[in-house]
Amino acid sequence: MKILSIETSCDETAISLIEATGGLKNPRFKILKNLVASQIKIHQPFGGVVPNLAKREHEKNLPILLKKILPDNSRLNPDLIAVTVGPGLEPCLWTGIEFAETLAKKIKKPLIGVNHLEGHLYSIVLNPKPKNLTTKSLFPAIALIVSGGHTILLLMKDLIHFKKLGETRDDAAGEAFDKVARLLDLPYPGGPELEKLALSGNPKAVPFPRPMLNQKNYDFSFSGLKTAVLYYLRNKKIAGEKLSLPDTAASFQQAVIDVLTAKTFRAVSAFNAQSIMISGGVANNTLLRQTFQKKSKEKNLNFFAPLLKFTTDNAAMTAVAAYFSHLKGKKYPLKARSDINF
Ligand code: KG4
Ligand code: ZN
C-alpha cells in the first residue's frame, strides 16, 4: 500500500510517500518521495524553536511540499494518509492534523494518527538493505530513543510488542546538548554544533558527573549535568582561569554518552537482549553511534541505527509507524497531544 505521511511535530515540515508491503511478517518499505523543509534559519536568531513561528511556517510549507509530492497530474494515489498527533508542540501538530484531514476528505482516503516516538523507533527499518526485523533471533532487543524531547529505554519482545523500562526524569539528552551548546555560545540547533566543537577537545579534561549511572533503574537525568557545566564555566570565569571550550564540549558529550551506554548495556545484560536499536536526533552523533556499534560488536549483539538523514524528524518514519498501527488496528485519536508517550 502507498502511505502519504505528514510530520509537523516541531520545526521540520515533512511529507513522504512510501510504498509499504509484506505485512507484519515481512514488512518492507520503499521510499517513493521524501521531503523535509527545515526551519533552522527562522528559529536561529531566537536560540530555539518559537512555536507560533513554527506553526506559521508549517502552514506555508505544507501545500508547497504536497504539490511536489503529489502534483495535480500525478498518477500516484495514496491508499492511506498518516499524520503525527504527538508528542510535540500542539499548535504545530494541529496544523498538520487539520491539513491531513482536509486532504483525506478531498481524495477520499482513510487517515491515521501516528505517535512521533513510534516513528523514531521504527526509523531503523528505512535502510536500503534491511535485515528482516521480524527474525525471532534478533529479540529480545533494547531500544534507546534519544531526541530533543525524549530519552526512553524500551524492551522489545519483537518488532511491535514493547515495554518502557525507563526514561529521563528531567531534560532529554538532546535538550541537554542544546542547553549546554547555548552556554558555550553555539548557534541553534546546538547538538550538531557541540559535536563539531568537541572534535578538537579532550573528553577527559573535565570530570563532569555521570548522573544516575550507579542507580539500579533505567531512568536518566541530564539537568544536573547541564548545571555542572554552567558552574564550571562560571567558576573558571570568576577565577580568571584559561578555559577550553572544545575540552568542555568533549567532556560534556562524553558524560552523556557514558550514561546512555552504561544504562543501555545494563538492560541488555538484565534481559539477555540479542540486539540494540538506537534512534532519534541524538543518534545522529557520530561518537554515540561508534561507541554503541563497537560495544555491540564486542558483545556479539546486532546493532541497528537509522541512516543519518532519518535520525532527525522526517515523515518517512511516520509512514512506517502508520503501517504498523494500520496492520494492528491501533488508533490514536486525531487530536494534538504534547504528552503522548508509550
Ligand atoms: O528527533 P529530533 O529531530 O526531534 C525531536 O523529536 O526532539 O531531535 C532533535 C535533537 C536536538 O536536541 C538536537 O540538538 C539533537 O537532536 N541532535 C544532536 C545531533 N544532531 C541532532 N545531538 C547531538 N549530536 C548530534 N550530532
Ligand atoms: Zn523527533
Side-chain angles (χ1 to χ4, degrees):
M1 72 186 316
K2 288 191 190 66
I3 304 175
L4 182 119
S5 49
I6 296 168
E7 153 64 46
T8 60
S9 65
C10 191
D11 60 340
E12 317 280 12
T13 318
I15 306 190
S16 298
L17 189 65
I18 304 287
E19 171 93 64
T21 53
L24 289 176
K25 286 231 163 70
N26 187 15
R28 288 277 181 267
F29 300 90
K30 189 171 163 205
I31 299 171
L32 304 176
K33 296 191 181 186
N34 181 48
L35 294 177
V36 181
S38 170
Q39 301 181 7
I40 287 180
K41 288 223 158 61
I42 301 205
H43 299 287
Q44 215 153 38
F46 303 94
V49 180
V50 184
N52 279 333
L53 271 185
K55 174 186 155 75
R56 197 188 69 189
E57 285 303 299
H58 289 313
E59 283 167 352
K60 196 177 91 194
N61 291 334
L62 281 169
I64 299 171
L65 293 193
L66 183 68
K67 255 224 148 82
K68 287 189 184 157
I69 298 254
L70 281 185
D72 290 337
N73 59 357
S74 170
R75 273 183 283 147
L76 290 171
N77 198 6
D79 304 292
L80 179 68
I81 298 169
V83 65
T84 304
V85 295
L89 301 169
E90 283 191 14
C92 298
L93 292 164
W94 275 123
T95 308
I97 294 170
E98 283 162 14
F99 186 81
E101 280 176 329
T102 308
L103 177 67
K105 255 190 218 138
K106 188 173 158 204
I107 64 172
K108 299 191 179 61
K109 295 292 172 186
L111 172 62
I112 188 167
V114 174
N115 178 335
H116 183 69
L117 294 171
E118 290 179 11
H120 277 304
L121 175 65
Y122 290 130
S123 60
I124 55 165
V125 308
L126 291 165
N127 209 299
K129 284 192 187 151
K131 251 194 182 174
N132 186 345
L133 283 167
T134 53
T135 309
K136 281 209 170 74
S137 59
L138 296 175
F139 295 90
I142 298 295
L144 173 71
I145 304 173
V146 265
S147 69
H150 296 82
T151 302
I152 296 178
L153 209 50
L154 299 174
L155 171 63
M156 316 270 302
K157 207 177 120 215
D158 55 40
L159 195 56
I160 56 167
H161 295 99
F162 48 82
K163 187 178 121 186
K164 186 162 71 183
L165 296 175
E167 64 189 323
T168 185
R169 295 190 181 170
D170 41 56
D171 291 353
E175 193 177 356
F177 265 94
D178 293 339
K179 286 179 175 170
V180 169
R182 215 180 299 174
L183 295 176
L184 299 174
D185 276 333
L186 296 170
Y188 161 86
E193 294 292 330
L194 193 146
E195 177 177 18
K196 259 188 252 158
L197 181 65
L199 281 176
S200 54
N202 172 8
K204 293 192 177 132
V206 192
F208 287 128
R210 268 65 176 157
M212 299 182 75
L213 187 68
N214 296 318
Q215 289 187 21
K216 283 197 173 53
N217 53 38
Y218 298 108
D219 285 344
F220 303 90
S221 161
F222 292 109
S223 109
L225 176 56
K226 169 203 65 195
T227 310
V229 177
L230 173 75
Y231 286 153
Y232 173 76
L233 294 172
R234 209 167 63 185
N235 292 342
K236 281 271 173 194
K237 203 172 167 193
I238 291 169
E241 287 172 11
K242 208 171 149 252
L243 173 71
S244 161
L245 294 183
D247 282 356
T248 312
S251 301
F252 160 78
Q253 177 176 256
Q254 192 61 55
V256 175
I257 293 176
D258 283 354
V259 176
L260 293 174
T261 315
K263 291 245 160 167
T264 306
F265 281 84
R266 197 181 296 154
V268 165
S269 303
F271 296 97
N272 194 22
Q274 304 302 309
S275 306
I276 291 200
M277 302 167 172
I278 60 167
S279 59
V282 183
N284 198 287
N285 187 286
T286 307
L287 187 63
L288 177 80
R289 289 169 86 98
Q290 284 173 347
T291 308
F292 269 75
Q293 193 156 25
K294 187 163 164 263
K295 231 175 153 197
S296 301
K297 204 167 171 195
E298 280 165 17
K299 299 200 173 285
N300 221 359
L301 296 163
N302 305 287
F303 173 68
F304 298 96
L307 295 178
L308 285 181
K309 66 174 173 184
F310 294 130
T311 52
T312 46
D313 291 347
N314 63 88
M317 68 183 198
T318 312
V320 177
Y323 187 54
F324 291 139
S325 286
H326 170 75
L327 294 171
K328 288 190 297 180
K330 184 171 174 180
K331 287 205 168 93
Y332 286 99
L334 289 162
K335 266 191 182 163
R337 289 220 3 229
S338 60
D339 61 343
I340 338 174
N341 201 310
F342 287 116

